[in-house]
Short mmCIF file of all heavy atoms in Angstrom, two decimals:
data_model
loop_
_atom_site.label_atom_id
_atom_site.label_comp_id
_atom_site.label_asym_id
_atom_site.label_seq_id
_atom_site.Cartn_x
_atom_site.Cartn_y
_atom_site.Cartn_z
N MET A 47 0.83 -1.17 0.00
CA MET A 47 0.00 0.00 0.00
C MET A 47 0.89 1.24 0.00
O MET A 47 1.87 1.31 0.72
CB MET A 47 -0.89 -0.03 1.25
CG MET A 47 -1.49 1.30 1.58
SD MET A 47 -2.73 1.18 2.84
CE MET A 47 -4.05 0.59 1.83
N ARG A 48 0.52 2.19 -0.83
CA ARG A 48 1.27 3.46 -0.92
C ARG A 48 0.75 4.41 0.15
O ARG A 48 -0.45 4.57 0.33
CB ARG A 48 1.09 4.10 -2.28
CG ARG A 48 1.52 3.27 -3.47
CD ARG A 48 2.99 3.18 -3.73
NE ARG A 48 3.61 4.47 -3.87
CZ ARG A 48 4.91 4.66 -3.71
NH1 ARG A 48 5.70 3.66 -3.42
NH2 ARG A 48 5.45 5.85 -3.85
N LEU A 49 1.68 5.04 0.84
CA LEU A 49 1.34 6.01 1.87
C LEU A 49 1.84 7.39 1.49
O LEU A 49 2.82 7.53 0.77
CB LEU A 49 1.96 5.62 3.21
CG LEU A 49 1.49 4.32 3.84
CD1 LEU A 49 2.25 4.09 5.14
CD2 LEU A 49 0.02 4.35 4.10
N ASN A 50 1.18 8.39 2.02
CA ASN A 50 1.62 9.77 1.83
C ASN A 50 2.55 10.10 3.00
O ASN A 50 2.10 10.54 4.07
CB ASN A 50 0.40 10.70 1.80
CG ASN A 50 0.78 12.11 1.47
OD1 ASN A 50 1.91 12.52 1.66
ND2 ASN A 50 -0.17 12.88 0.98
N SER A 51 3.84 9.86 2.82
CA SER A 51 4.82 10.07 3.89
C SER A 51 4.83 11.50 4.38
O SER A 51 5.00 11.75 5.58
CB SER A 51 6.22 9.68 3.41
OG SER A 51 6.28 8.30 3.15
N LEU A 52 4.63 12.44 3.47
CA LEU A 52 4.62 13.85 3.89
C LEU A 52 3.45 14.15 4.81
O LEU A 52 3.60 14.88 5.79
CB LEU A 52 4.58 14.77 2.67
CG LEU A 52 5.85 14.80 1.82
CD1 LEU A 52 5.66 15.69 0.60
CD2 LEU A 52 7.03 15.28 2.63
N ALA A 53 2.29 13.57 4.52
CA ALA A 53 1.12 13.76 5.39
C ALA A 53 1.38 13.16 6.77
O ALA A 53 1.02 13.76 7.79
CB ALA A 53 -0.12 13.14 4.75
N ILE A 54 2.01 12.00 6.80
CA ILE A 54 2.32 11.35 8.08
C ILE A 54 3.29 12.21 8.87
O ILE A 54 3.09 12.46 10.06
CB ILE A 54 2.88 9.94 7.85
CG1 ILE A 54 1.81 9.04 7.24
CG2 ILE A 54 3.40 9.35 9.16
CD1 ILE A 54 2.33 7.69 6.77
N LYS A 55 4.34 12.68 8.22
CA LYS A 55 5.33 13.52 8.90
C LYS A 55 4.70 14.82 9.40
O LYS A 55 5.02 15.28 10.50
CB LYS A 55 6.51 13.80 7.97
CG LYS A 55 7.35 12.57 7.71
CD LYS A 55 8.44 12.83 6.70
CE LYS A 55 9.21 11.56 6.37
NZ LYS A 55 10.22 11.77 5.34
N LYS A 56 3.81 15.39 8.61
CA LYS A 56 3.12 16.62 9.02
C LYS A 56 2.27 16.35 10.27
O LYS A 56 2.30 17.14 11.22
CB LYS A 56 2.24 17.14 7.89
CG LYS A 56 1.52 18.42 8.22
CD LYS A 56 0.67 18.90 7.05
CE LYS A 56 -0.09 20.16 7.47
NZ LYS A 56 -1.06 20.55 6.47
N LEU A 57 1.54 15.26 10.27
CA LEU A 57 0.74 14.89 11.44
C LEU A 57 1.62 14.66 12.66
O LEU A 57 1.27 15.05 13.78
CB LEU A 57 -0.09 13.64 11.15
CG LEU A 57 -1.27 13.83 10.21
CD1 LEU A 57 -1.77 12.48 9.70
CD2 LEU A 57 -2.40 14.59 10.91
N MET A 58 2.77 14.04 12.45
CA MET A 58 3.69 13.80 13.55
C MET A 58 4.18 15.12 14.15
O MET A 58 4.23 15.28 15.37
CB MET A 58 4.89 12.95 13.08
CG MET A 58 4.54 11.51 12.80
SD MET A 58 5.88 10.60 12.01
CE MET A 58 7.13 10.63 13.31
N VAL A 59 4.50 16.08 13.29
CA VAL A 59 4.96 17.39 13.77
C VAL A 59 3.84 18.09 14.53
O VAL A 59 4.06 18.64 15.62
CB VAL A 59 5.46 18.26 12.59
CG1 VAL A 59 5.65 19.70 13.01
CG2 VAL A 59 6.75 17.69 12.03
N GLU A 60 2.63 18.07 13.97
CA GLU A 60 1.48 18.72 14.62
C GLU A 60 1.22 18.14 16.01
O GLU A 60 0.80 18.86 16.91
CB GLU A 60 0.22 18.55 13.77
CG GLU A 60 0.22 19.38 12.50
CD GLU A 60 -0.96 19.06 11.60
OE1 GLU A 60 -1.82 18.24 11.97
OE2 GLU A 60 -1.01 19.65 10.50
N LYS A 61 1.48 16.85 16.17
CA LYS A 61 1.21 16.19 17.44
C LYS A 61 2.45 16.09 18.32
O LYS A 61 2.40 15.52 19.41
CB LYS A 61 0.64 14.79 17.18
CG LYS A 61 -0.71 14.83 16.46
CD LYS A 61 -1.16 13.46 16.05
CE LYS A 61 -2.42 13.50 15.22
NZ LYS A 61 -3.60 14.01 15.89
N GLY A 62 3.57 16.66 17.84
CA GLY A 62 4.82 16.62 18.60
C GLY A 62 5.32 15.20 18.81
O GLY A 62 5.86 14.87 19.86
N MET A 63 5.15 14.38 17.79
CA MET A 63 5.46 12.96 17.89
C MET A 63 6.74 12.62 17.14
O MET A 63 6.91 13.00 15.98
CB MET A 63 4.28 12.17 17.31
CG MET A 63 4.33 10.69 17.55
SD MET A 63 2.90 9.83 16.84
CE MET A 63 1.60 10.46 17.89
N SER A 64 7.62 11.89 17.80
CA SER A 64 8.85 11.42 17.17
C SER A 64 8.60 10.06 16.52
O SER A 64 7.55 9.44 16.73
CB SER A 64 9.95 11.28 18.22
OG SER A 64 9.59 10.25 19.14
N ILE A 65 9.58 9.59 15.76
CA ILE A 65 9.49 8.24 15.18
C ILE A 65 9.39 7.21 16.30
O ILE A 65 8.62 6.26 16.20
CB ILE A 65 10.67 7.97 14.23
CG1 ILE A 65 10.53 8.80 12.96
CG2 ILE A 65 10.77 6.48 13.89
CD1 ILE A 65 11.66 8.67 11.98
N LYS A 66 10.14 7.43 17.36
CA LYS A 66 10.10 6.50 18.49
C LYS A 66 8.70 6.46 19.10
O LYS A 66 8.18 5.38 19.41
CB LYS A 66 11.13 6.90 19.54
CG LYS A 66 11.20 5.95 20.71
CD LYS A 66 12.28 6.36 21.69
CE LYS A 66 12.32 5.37 22.86
NZ LYS A 66 13.35 5.74 23.82
N ALA A 67 8.08 7.62 19.27
CA ALA A 67 6.73 7.67 19.84
C ALA A 67 5.73 6.99 18.91
O ALA A 67 4.86 6.24 19.37
CB ALA A 67 6.32 9.12 20.09
N LEU A 68 5.85 7.25 17.61
CA LEU A 68 4.96 6.60 16.64
C LEU A 68 5.15 5.09 16.69
O LEU A 68 4.19 4.32 16.64
CB LEU A 68 5.20 7.14 15.23
CG LEU A 68 4.31 6.57 14.13
CD1 LEU A 68 2.83 6.80 14.43
CD2 LEU A 68 4.68 7.17 12.78
N SER A 69 6.38 4.67 16.82
CA SER A 69 6.69 3.25 16.93
C SER A 69 6.01 2.65 18.16
O SER A 69 5.36 1.61 18.08
CB SER A 69 8.20 3.06 17.01
OG SER A 69 8.52 1.74 17.37
N ASN A 70 6.16 3.30 19.29
CA ASN A 70 5.57 2.79 20.53
C ASN A 70 4.05 2.73 20.45
O ASN A 70 3.44 1.75 20.88
CB ASN A 70 5.99 3.65 21.72
CG ASN A 70 7.45 3.49 22.07
OD1 ASN A 70 8.07 2.48 21.76
ND2 ASN A 70 8.01 4.49 22.72
N LEU A 71 3.43 3.76 19.91
CA LEU A 71 1.97 3.82 19.84
C LEU A 71 1.38 2.86 18.81
O LEU A 71 0.27 2.38 18.97
CB LEU A 71 1.51 5.25 19.54
CG LEU A 71 1.73 6.25 20.68
CD1 LEU A 71 1.45 7.67 20.19
CD2 LEU A 71 0.84 5.91 21.86
N SER A 72 2.13 2.62 17.74
CA SER A 72 1.63 1.75 16.66
C SER A 72 1.97 0.28 16.86
O SER A 72 1.36 -0.59 16.23
CB SER A 72 2.18 2.22 15.31
OG SER A 72 3.58 2.04 15.25
N GLY A 73 2.97 0.01 17.69
CA GLY A 73 3.41 -1.38 17.86
C GLY A 73 4.28 -1.87 16.72
O GLY A 73 4.47 -3.06 16.55
N ILE A 74 4.81 -0.93 15.94
CA ILE A 74 5.70 -1.25 14.82
C ILE A 74 7.11 -0.83 15.25
O ILE A 74 7.29 0.24 15.83
CB ILE A 74 5.29 -0.48 13.55
CG1 ILE A 74 3.83 -0.80 13.18
CG2 ILE A 74 6.22 -0.81 12.38
CD1 ILE A 74 3.27 0.11 12.09
N SER A 75 8.11 -1.64 14.95
CA SER A 75 9.46 -1.30 15.37
C SER A 75 9.91 0.04 14.80
O SER A 75 9.44 0.47 13.74
CB SER A 75 10.45 -2.39 14.94
OG SER A 75 10.68 -2.34 13.55
N ARG A 76 10.79 0.70 15.51
CA ARG A 76 11.30 2.01 15.08
C ARG A 76 11.96 1.90 13.71
O ARG A 76 11.76 2.76 12.84
CB ARG A 76 12.29 2.56 16.12
CG ARG A 76 12.70 3.99 15.89
CD ARG A 76 13.58 4.54 17.00
NE ARG A 76 14.64 3.64 17.43
CZ ARG A 76 15.80 3.50 16.79
NH1 ARG A 76 16.06 4.18 15.70
NH2 ARG A 76 16.72 2.66 17.25
N GLN A 77 12.71 0.84 13.50
CA GLN A 77 13.37 0.61 12.21
C GLN A 77 12.34 0.50 11.09
O GLN A 77 12.49 1.08 10.03
CB GLN A 77 14.21 -0.67 12.28
CG GLN A 77 14.84 -1.08 10.98
CD GLN A 77 16.11 -0.32 10.68
OE1 GLN A 77 16.75 0.18 11.59
NE2 GLN A 77 16.46 -0.22 9.42
N SER A 78 11.27 -0.25 11.36
CA SER A 78 10.23 -0.43 10.34
C SER A 78 9.50 0.88 10.05
O SER A 78 9.20 1.17 8.90
CB SER A 78 9.23 -1.50 10.77
OG SER A 78 9.85 -2.76 10.80
N VAL A 79 9.22 1.66 11.09
CA VAL A 79 8.57 2.96 10.88
C VAL A 79 9.45 3.84 10.01
O VAL A 79 8.97 4.47 9.07
CB VAL A 79 8.24 3.65 12.22
CG1 VAL A 79 7.79 5.10 12.00
CG2 VAL A 79 7.17 2.89 12.98
N SER A 80 10.74 3.87 10.29
CA SER A 80 11.67 4.66 9.48
C SER A 80 11.66 4.20 8.02
O SER A 80 11.64 5.02 7.10
CB SER A 80 13.09 4.57 10.04
OG SER A 80 13.17 5.17 11.29
N THR A 81 11.67 2.89 7.82
CA THR A 81 11.65 2.33 6.47
C THR A 81 10.35 2.67 5.75
O THR A 81 10.34 3.05 4.58
CB THR A 81 11.86 0.80 6.52
OG1 THR A 81 13.11 0.52 7.15
CG2 THR A 81 11.84 0.19 5.13
N ILE A 82 9.23 2.55 6.46
CA ILE A 82 7.92 2.87 5.88
C ILE A 82 7.88 4.32 5.44
O ILE A 82 7.43 4.63 4.33
CB ILE A 82 6.80 2.57 6.90
CG1 ILE A 82 6.64 1.06 7.07
CG2 ILE A 82 5.49 3.22 6.47
CD1 ILE A 82 5.78 0.63 8.26
N LEU A 83 8.37 5.23 6.28
CA LEU A 83 8.36 6.65 5.93
C LEU A 83 9.29 6.94 4.75
O LEU A 83 8.99 7.78 3.90
CB LEU A 83 8.74 7.51 7.14
CG LEU A 83 7.72 7.51 8.28
CD1 LEU A 83 8.26 8.31 9.46
CD2 LEU A 83 6.38 8.06 7.83
N ALA A 84 10.42 6.25 4.69
CA ALA A 84 11.38 6.48 3.60
C ALA A 84 10.84 5.93 2.27
O ALA A 84 10.96 6.59 1.23
CB ALA A 84 12.72 5.83 3.94
N ARG A 85 10.27 4.76 2.30
CA ARG A 85 9.79 4.11 1.07
C ARG A 85 8.38 4.54 0.67
O ARG A 85 8.01 4.46 -0.49
CB ARG A 85 9.79 2.59 1.24
CG ARG A 85 11.17 2.01 1.32
CD ARG A 85 11.10 0.52 1.37
NE ARG A 85 12.44 -0.06 1.50
CZ ARG A 85 12.67 -1.32 1.80
NH1 ARG A 85 11.67 -2.15 2.00
NH2 ARG A 85 13.91 -1.74 1.91
N GLY A 86 7.58 4.89 1.68
CA GLY A 86 6.20 5.28 1.40
C GLY A 86 5.29 4.10 1.11
O GLY A 86 4.25 4.26 0.50
N THR A 87 5.70 2.92 1.57
CA THR A 87 4.87 1.73 1.37
C THR A 87 4.85 0.89 2.64
O THR A 87 5.81 0.91 3.42
CB THR A 87 5.39 0.83 0.23
OG1 THR A 87 6.71 0.40 0.53
CG2 THR A 87 5.37 1.55 -1.10
N CYS A 88 3.75 0.17 2.83
CA CYS A 88 3.65 -0.79 3.93
C CYS A 88 2.42 -1.65 3.71
O CYS A 88 1.65 -1.42 2.78
CB CYS A 88 3.60 -0.08 5.28
SG CYS A 88 2.07 0.79 5.61
N SER A 89 2.22 -2.60 4.61
CA SER A 89 1.04 -3.45 4.53
C SER A 89 -0.19 -2.67 4.98
O SER A 89 -0.08 -1.64 5.65
CB SER A 89 1.23 -4.68 5.42
OG SER A 89 1.21 -4.30 6.78
N ILE A 90 -1.34 -3.18 4.64
CA ILE A 90 -2.59 -2.55 5.05
C ILE A 90 -2.69 -2.55 6.58
O ILE A 90 -3.13 -1.57 7.18
CB ILE A 90 -3.80 -3.29 4.42
CG1 ILE A 90 -3.80 -3.05 2.91
CG2 ILE A 90 -5.11 -2.85 5.05
CD1 ILE A 90 -4.82 -3.87 2.16
N VAL A 91 -2.25 -3.63 7.20
CA VAL A 91 -2.30 -3.73 8.66
C VAL A 91 -1.46 -2.62 9.30
O VAL A 91 -1.91 -1.93 10.22
CB VAL A 91 -1.83 -5.12 9.13
CG1 VAL A 91 -1.66 -5.16 10.64
CG2 VAL A 91 -2.78 -6.19 8.67
N ASN A 92 -0.23 -2.44 8.81
CA ASN A 92 0.63 -1.41 9.38
C ASN A 92 0.11 -0.01 9.08
O ASN A 92 0.24 0.89 9.92
CB ASN A 92 2.07 -1.57 8.89
CG ASN A 92 2.79 -2.68 9.62
OD1 ASN A 92 2.34 -3.15 10.66
ND2 ASN A 92 3.90 -3.12 9.07
N ALA A 93 -0.51 0.19 7.93
CA ALA A 93 -1.11 1.49 7.63
C ALA A 93 -2.21 1.79 8.65
O ALA A 93 -2.32 2.92 9.15
CB ALA A 93 -1.68 1.50 6.22
N GLY A 94 -2.99 0.79 8.98
CA GLY A 94 -4.04 0.95 9.99
C GLY A 94 -3.47 1.25 11.36
O GLY A 94 -4.01 2.10 12.09
N ARG A 95 -2.38 0.61 11.70
CA ARG A 95 -1.73 0.86 13.00
C ARG A 95 -1.18 2.28 13.07
O ARG A 95 -1.30 2.94 14.10
CB ARG A 95 -0.60 -0.14 13.22
CG ARG A 95 -1.08 -1.54 13.48
CD ARG A 95 0.09 -2.48 13.64
NE ARG A 95 -0.39 -3.83 13.94
CZ ARG A 95 0.41 -4.87 14.01
NH1 ARG A 95 1.71 -4.74 13.79
NH2 ARG A 95 -0.08 -6.06 14.29
N ILE A 96 -0.58 2.73 11.99
CA ILE A 96 -0.03 4.10 11.96
C ILE A 96 -1.16 5.11 12.06
O ILE A 96 -1.08 6.08 12.83
CB ILE A 96 0.82 4.32 10.69
CG1 ILE A 96 2.11 3.48 10.79
CG2 ILE A 96 1.13 5.80 10.50
CD1 ILE A 96 2.91 3.42 9.51
N ALA A 97 -2.22 4.89 11.30
CA ALA A 97 -3.37 5.80 11.35
C ALA A 97 -3.96 5.86 12.76
O ALA A 97 -4.27 6.94 13.27
CB ALA A 97 -4.42 5.38 10.34
N ALA A 98 -4.11 4.70 13.39
CA ALA A 98 -4.66 4.66 14.75
C ALA A 98 -3.75 5.40 15.73
O ALA A 98 -4.24 6.14 16.60
CB ALA A 98 -4.86 3.21 15.19
N ALA A 99 -2.44 5.22 15.59
CA ALA A 99 -1.50 5.90 16.47
C ALA A 99 -1.57 7.42 16.30
O ALA A 99 -1.36 8.17 17.26
CB ALA A 99 -0.08 5.40 16.21
N LEU A 100 -1.88 7.86 15.08
CA LEU A 100 -1.97 9.29 14.80
C LEU A 100 -3.39 9.83 15.03
O LEU A 100 -3.63 11.02 14.87
CB LEU A 100 -1.55 9.56 13.35
CG LEU A 100 -0.08 9.33 13.04
CD1 LEU A 100 0.16 9.34 11.53
CD2 LEU A 100 0.80 10.36 13.73
N HIS A 101 -4.32 8.95 15.37
CA HIS A 101 -5.73 9.32 15.61
C HIS A 101 -6.37 9.94 14.37
O HIS A 101 -7.04 10.96 14.46
CB HIS A 101 -5.87 10.26 16.82
CG HIS A 101 -5.32 9.67 18.08
ND1 HIS A 101 -5.95 8.66 18.76
CD2 HIS A 101 -4.18 9.95 18.77
CE1 HIS A 101 -5.23 8.35 19.82
NE2 HIS A 101 -4.16 9.11 19.85
N VAL A 102 -6.11 9.30 13.21
CA VAL A 102 -6.73 9.74 11.96
C VAL A 102 -7.30 8.52 11.25
O VAL A 102 -6.97 7.38 11.58
CB VAL A 102 -5.72 10.46 11.02
CG1 VAL A 102 -5.18 11.73 11.67
CG2 VAL A 102 -4.59 9.55 10.61
N LYS A 103 -8.15 8.77 10.28
CA LYS A 103 -8.68 7.69 9.46
C LYS A 103 -7.57 7.23 8.50
O LYS A 103 -6.78 8.05 8.04
CB LYS A 103 -9.88 8.17 8.64
CG LYS A 103 -11.07 8.53 9.49
CD LYS A 103 -12.18 9.03 8.63
CE LYS A 103 -13.35 9.46 9.50
NZ LYS A 103 -14.45 10.01 8.70
N PRO A 104 -7.50 5.93 8.19
CA PRO A 104 -6.47 5.45 7.28
C PRO A 104 -6.45 6.20 5.94
O PRO A 104 -5.37 6.41 5.36
CB PRO A 104 -6.82 3.99 7.08
CG PRO A 104 -7.53 3.60 8.34
CD PRO A 104 -8.30 4.83 8.73
N GLU A 105 -7.63 6.63 5.47
CA GLU A 105 -7.70 7.33 4.19
C GLU A 105 -6.88 8.62 4.19
O GLU A 105 -6.47 9.11 3.14
CB GLU A 105 -9.16 7.67 3.85
CG GLU A 105 -10.05 6.47 3.64
CD GLU A 105 -10.60 5.88 4.93
OE1 GLU A 105 -10.59 6.56 5.98
OE2 GLU A 105 -11.03 4.71 4.89
N GLU A 106 -6.64 9.17 5.37
CA GLU A 106 -5.90 10.44 5.47
C GLU A 106 -4.40 10.26 5.24
O GLU A 106 -3.70 11.25 5.01
CB GLU A 106 -6.14 11.09 6.83
CG GLU A 106 -7.58 11.54 7.00
CD GLU A 106 -7.79 12.24 8.33
OE1 GLU A 106 -6.99 13.13 8.68
OE2 GLU A 106 -8.79 11.91 8.99
N ILE A 107 -3.92 9.03 5.28
CA ILE A 107 -2.48 8.81 5.07
C ILE A 107 -2.20 7.99 3.82
O ILE A 107 -1.05 7.74 3.49
CB ILE A 107 -1.80 8.18 6.31
CG1 ILE A 107 -2.38 6.80 6.63
CG2 ILE A 107 -1.90 9.12 7.50
CD1 ILE A 107 -1.60 6.02 7.66
N TRP A 108 -3.25 7.53 3.11
CA TRP A 108 -3.05 6.80 1.86
C TRP A 108 -2.65 7.75 0.76
O TRP A 108 -3.01 8.92 0.78
CB TRP A 108 -4.31 6.10 1.41
CG TRP A 108 -4.74 4.97 2.30
CD1 TRP A 108 -4.02 4.35 3.27
CD2 TRP A 108 -6.02 4.34 2.29
NE1 TRP A 108 -4.77 3.37 3.87
CE2 TRP A 108 -5.99 3.34 3.29
CE3 TRP A 108 -7.17 4.52 1.54
CZ2 TRP A 108 -7.08 2.53 3.55
CZ3 TRP A 108 -8.25 3.70 1.80
CH2 TRP A 108 -8.20 2.72 2.79
N LYS A 109 -1.94 7.23 -0.20
CA LYS A 109 -1.58 8.02 -1.38
C LYS A 109 -2.39 7.52 -2.55
O LYS A 109 -2.41 6.32 -2.84
CB LYS A 109 -0.09 7.87 -1.67
CG LYS A 109 0.43 8.83 -2.69
CD LYS A 109 1.94 8.79 -2.72
CE LYS A 109 2.46 9.93 -3.57
NZ LYS A 109 3.91 9.99 -3.52
N GLU A 110 -3.06 8.43 -3.20
CA GLU A 110 -3.87 8.05 -4.37
C GLU A 110 -2.94 7.59 -5.48
O GLU A 110 -1.92 8.19 -5.75
CB GLU A 110 -4.67 9.26 -4.87
CG GLU A 110 -5.70 9.77 -3.88
CD GLU A 110 -6.84 8.80 -3.64
OE1 GLU A 110 -7.21 8.07 -4.57
OE2 GLU A 110 -7.35 8.77 -2.51
N GLU A 111 -3.32 6.49 -6.12
CA GLU A 111 -2.47 5.97 -7.21
C GLU A 111 -3.10 6.22 -8.54
O GLU A 111 -4.23 6.36 -8.72
CB GLU A 111 -2.26 4.47 -7.00
CG GLU A 111 -1.44 4.23 -5.75
CD GLU A 111 -0.99 2.80 -5.62
OE1 GLU A 111 -0.54 2.22 -6.64
OE2 GLU A 111 -1.08 2.25 -4.53
#
């Protein structure tokens, strides 16, 4: 699944959240979160976890293809 990494990073800044905090809240390893943000792709499950950690709907972090 393609993600909008810029939207995720913007949400993280707005919420004062670091990669480590996103990792802790999502249950995804810090290394994996970094990789997801760099590549802009992940599984649907991880996209849902990231969205939940950011308190947004998954559609807000998807990238239209």
Side-chain angles (χ1 to χ4, degrees):
M47 163 170 281
R48 302 283 305 159
L49 296 179
N50 186 337
S51 294
L52 291 177
I54 294 170
K55 290 175 184 177
K56 182 180 176 188
L57 287 165
M58 288 171 65
V59 168
E60 289 173 3
K61 297 173 186 295
M63 190 180 292
S64 65
I65 289 177
K66 183 177 180 180
L68 181 58
S69 169
N70 290 337
L71 291 171
S72 66
I74 303 170
S75 73
R76 189 175 45 81
Q77 175 81 24
S78 292
V79 170
S80 294
T81 301
I82 289 167
L83 293 175
R85 291 184 182 168
T87 60
C88 70
S89 69
I90 292 172
V91 171
N92 283 344
R95 289 178 178 174
I96 291 170
L100 292 168
H101 302 288
V102 298
K103 294 178 183 177
E105 296 83 18
E106 293 182 48
I107 63 169
W108 292 346
K109 191 169 190 175
E110 296 292 328
E111 293 190 44

